[in-house]
Amino acid sequence: MLPLFYTTLILLYDHVSCSRPNIVLMMADDLGWGDVAPNNPNIKYTPSIAELAAQGIRYTDYHSAASVCTPSRAGLLTGRLAQRTGVIKNFVIDSTGGLPLTERTMADYLKSVGYKTGIIGKWHLGHTQKYHPLSRGFDYYFGLPYSNDMGCLRNANDIYNIKINPVCGENRLWNISLPLYENRKIIEQPVDLITLTQRYAEKAQEFMSSAIEERKPFFLYIPMTHVHVPLSFFKRNTGNNFVDTVIEMDQYVGKVTNFLKQNNLVENTIVMFTSDNGPWEYKCDLAGTSSPYLGQWQKTVGEGGSSSKMTTWEGGHRVPFIVSWPGTIPTGQVRGDLVSALDILPTLAKITNFTLPDDREFDGFPLPFLVPPQGTRTIFHPDYEFSEVWAVRHGRYKVYYATYPDHDCENKFGTGFLYHNPALVFDLETDIAESTPLKWQEVPESLYQKIEVLKKGLRDSVTKGFTSVASYDTDPSVAPCCNRDNPYCYCEA
């Protein structure tokens, strides 16, 4: 017999299936597990995110689909691992490709059951016409085609980066300025990052208002600019550039949730808040913290380097995750279930009654607030760029067949890529900092065998199943530019 809690939920979902709930999915950029108040009692400046957690469920063992921008977003929106989608690394400003057209997005599925769909923020899944958000299930788009450091700016007033000068003509990475799109049109190039968040909030409210007027449920995907460098904010609050950026992000969250309150939509709206990956340690004091998930073995035995973004250490992919749906799911609950960004798509399928196609494999499960967990959960952590599975989480254990860092604040890379035979095994229930692997005699006898069976199952599934191939070809002519007569593509006002 199911516990009363789950029985109650089943009755509630029977009720809401008649009028589908609105969905707001907010995803920060490079935000660490320890950067928000619900996860870190030392943080006093994220009241909107804290209120969201108080009104819902906070998951402490949630993992992004990958530890870097593009693969993470592809996994979130398709519910499929990088090995299946082919999206194994970031697209760049002159990429001709994007998320393969053989893949369907969360917006595609929700649109098929009557949702008005919008994205306000960073896309980073291809910017040429056929890969554009309006070609991938979204009705409305306002935002940046890729990361806010992938393009130069007119000036650096109140813009904060490190090791890179963002000004056009001085930026050693990019000589094309950063564009802002509304639907398929570039409306500003370079974008004014200082006022961007204010405009994002206004556009979010306009989008939700239009859906209300059309009497449609809405799916609003908000992939934020915060807290990816270069940092920017409209108002200085503390004198600490990173903290001020987090404060602005939290205020943005509050503007969205306050709109829901003012329009009596709180109980008919699922709000989710998360991050695409962990903090970018290379950016020093302009980056956040993954504490207490520090990948300490990398810092000591691995002789340094970052154990956060771009790595498979916990700090690279264990990030904040909050689900709020007052009146339907518990409030103020903290859960330690092992869950993933790959679980969001099947969760929404269950709630809104869209059907996932049976011609392909999906890698997630409905979240435990909806369907009671069954057995020991396994999560595969693919390597950035090569998409090999060098790390596997199975219940309380994290198994590494290889380890590697990213560059840290001091540009250290430690010993680099290391294979491990036998694999390193950490017990995350007793060693969340991943400081000391278990001795071979301490490893459960069947663990290695179980993991090998699981890895083989994934390989066979990918080999025999439906997979896509992403193109990483480039062509300078496809870089977004509203004025090719200007060397930096400035649009004249």
Side-chain angles (χ1 to χ4, degrees):
M1 178 180 293
L2 287 174
L4 178 61
F5 168 64
Y6 291 110
T7 305
T8 304
L9 279 179
I10 290 169
L11 295 173
L12 286 165
Y13 291 121
D14 284 343
H15 169 71
V16 300
S17 64
C18 298
S19 67
R20 294 182 171 93
N22 304 307
I23 302 159
V24 177
L25 174 54
M26 295 185 275
M27 184 166 70
D29 198 339
D30 291 358
L31 187 74
W33 192 93
D35 286 330
V36 294
N39 288 347
N40 184 346
N42 295 319
I43 302 294
K44 308 297 184 184
Y45 43 80
T46 58
S48 298
I49 296 169
E51 181 182 21
L52 196 65
Q55 294 177 346
I57 302 173
R58 173 169 64 95
Y59 287 91
T60 60
D61 202 355
Y62 167 92
H63 300 262
S64 57
S67 60
V68 73
C69 303
T70 295
S72 177
R73 291 154 203 272
L76 171 75
L77 292 179
T78 65
R80 287 160 48 87
L81 283 165
Q83 288 94 328
R84 303 189 198 279
T85 66
V87 180
I88 60 173
K89 60 182 180 178
N90 288 346
F91 296 115
V92 293
I93 67 172
D94 55 359
S95 289
T96 59
L99 177 69
L101 302 180
T102 46
E103 296 293 327
R104 296 185 66 192
T105 71
M106 193 178 291
D108 286 320
Y109 295 120
L110 288 166
K111 191 171 182 176
S112 73
V113 291
Y115 276 78
K116 183 179 178 70
T117 57
I119 168 176
I120 295 175
K122 168 182 166 180
W123 174 236
H124 215 169
L125 290 172
H127 54 269
T128 57
Q129 290 300 305
K130 60 186 177 181
Y131 299 108
H132 186 280
L134 296 191
S135 301
R136 308 313 303 266
F138 289 98
D139 297 314
Y140 178 73
Y141 171 48
F142 184 86
L144 307 180
Y146 30 67
S147 297
N148 56 321
D149 65 341
M150 293 175 62
C152 58
L153 304 172
R154 196 182 295 264
N155 62 64
N157 296 339
D158 296 318
I159 303 292
Y160 304 94
N161 204 338
I162 189 169
K163 303 170 184 172
I164 295 291
N165 185 331
V167 177
C168 293
E170 300 179 41
N171 188 317
R172 61 182 171 82
L173 294 180
W174 312 108
N175 62 0
I176 292 179
S177 56
L178 185 66
L180 173 65
Y181 279 81
E182 184 162 28
N183 293 322
R184 294 188 187 272
K185 182 181 179 181
I186 297 174
I187 62 169
E188 186 175 283
Q189 193 170 4
V191 63
D192 181 355
L193 290 177
I194 300 296
T195 62
L196 183 60
T197 303
Q198 289 179 299
R199 288 181 285 171
Y200 277 168
E202 291 167 1
K203 293 297 183 180
Q205 292 168 355
E206 289 175 12
F207 172 80
M208 291 186 285
S209 294
S210 68
I212 294 169
E213 291 173 4
E214 295 173 26
R215 302 181 66 82
K216 281 187 172 184
F218 59 79
F219 167 52
L220 178 54
Y221 173 43
I222 302 179
M224 300 173 171
T225 302
H226 302 86
V227 292
H228 198 293
V229 294
L231 303 185
S232 61
F233 42 84
F234 184 73
K235 179 182 176 183
R236 180 169 291 284
N237 289 281
T238 68
N240 180 304
N241 295 327
F242 181 78
V243 172
D244 284 346
T245 305
V246 174
I247 289 172
E248 184 171 90
M249 176 193 71
D250 183 77
Q251 291 170 344
Y252 181 17
V253 172
K255 289 175 181 178
V256 173
T257 55
N258 285 337
F259 177 90
L260 298 175
K261 293 175 189 175
Q262 292 162 4
N263 289 274
N264 299 315
L265 295 174
V266 171
E267 292 193 355
N268 193 38
T269 304
I270 304 167
V271 179
M272 299 183 181
F273 177 85
T274 187
S275 178
D276 65 339
N277 45 250
W280 197 359
E281 190 178 333
Y282 177 67
K283 295 298 180 176
C284 304
D285 62 352
L286 300 184
T289 178
S290 59
S291 181
Y293 304 101
L294 300 175
Q296 201 61 41
W297 187 94
Q298 182 63 54
K299 306 289 188 182
T300 54
V301 182
E303 299 181 12
S306 168
S307 55
S308 297
K309 178 180 177 177
M310 299 189 193
T311 80
T312 55
W313 294 103
E314 287 292 286
H317 47 75
R318 190 186 286 222
V319 292
F321 183 52
I322 297 165
V323 183
S324 175
W325 192 7
T328 300
I329 67 174
T331 60
Q333 190 176 88
V334 180
R335 297 189 62 140
D337 308 88
L338 178 57
V339 292
S340 161
L342 301 170
D343 299 337
I344 293 177
L345 183 70
T347 298
L348 296 180
K350 192 83 172 173
I351 292 171
T352 65
N353 293 318
F354 66 74
T355 302
L356 293 173
D358 57 11
D359 67 342
R360 63 196 64 194
E361 295 288 332
F362 293 88
D363 295 294
F365 303 91
L367 287 165
F369 77 77
L370 185 59
V371 176
Q374 302 290 325
T376 302
R377 179 75 188 269
T378 300
I379 292 179
F380 299 101
H381 296 297
D383 165 62
Y384 172 55
E385 195 162 344
F386 299 104
S387 199
E388 296 289 340
V389 176
W390 298 121
V392 180
R393 177 74 181 278
H394 184 67
R396 65 191 287 174
Y397 299 105
K398 181 86 170 282
V399 181
Y400 288 92
Y401 293 87
T403 54
Y404 56 93
D406 186 37
H407 292 93
D408 65 13
C409 173
E410 298 175 353
N411 211 31
K412 293 179 180 176
F413 197 67
T415 53
F417 192 97
L418 294 175
Y419 290 103
H420 300 288
N421 187 14
L424 299 183
V425 178
F426 294 90
D427 183 347
L428 296 183
E429 287 193 7
T430 61
D431 183 14
I432 58 175
E434 295 177 292
S435 58
T436 308
L438 298 177
K439 298 175 182 177
W440 69 267
Q441 61 266 35
E442 297 173 322
V443 177
E445 187 175 347
S446 60
L447 182 64
Y448 287 129
Q449 183 178 358
K450 283 182 181 177
I451 300 297
E452 287 299 329
V453 170
L454 291 165
K455 286 183 65 181
K456 182 179 184 303
L458 176 63
R459 286 194 301 270
D460 291 347
S461 173
V462 170
T463 301
K464 299 174 183 177
F466 183 98
T467 57
S468 299
V469 178
S471 169
Y472 283 93
D473 292 342
T474 59
D475 179 349
S477 70
V478 306
C481 182
C482 64
N483 179 13
R484 297 197 180 275
D485 291 332
N486 184 283
Y488 307 120
C489 296
Y490 289 171
C491 291
E492 298 302 326

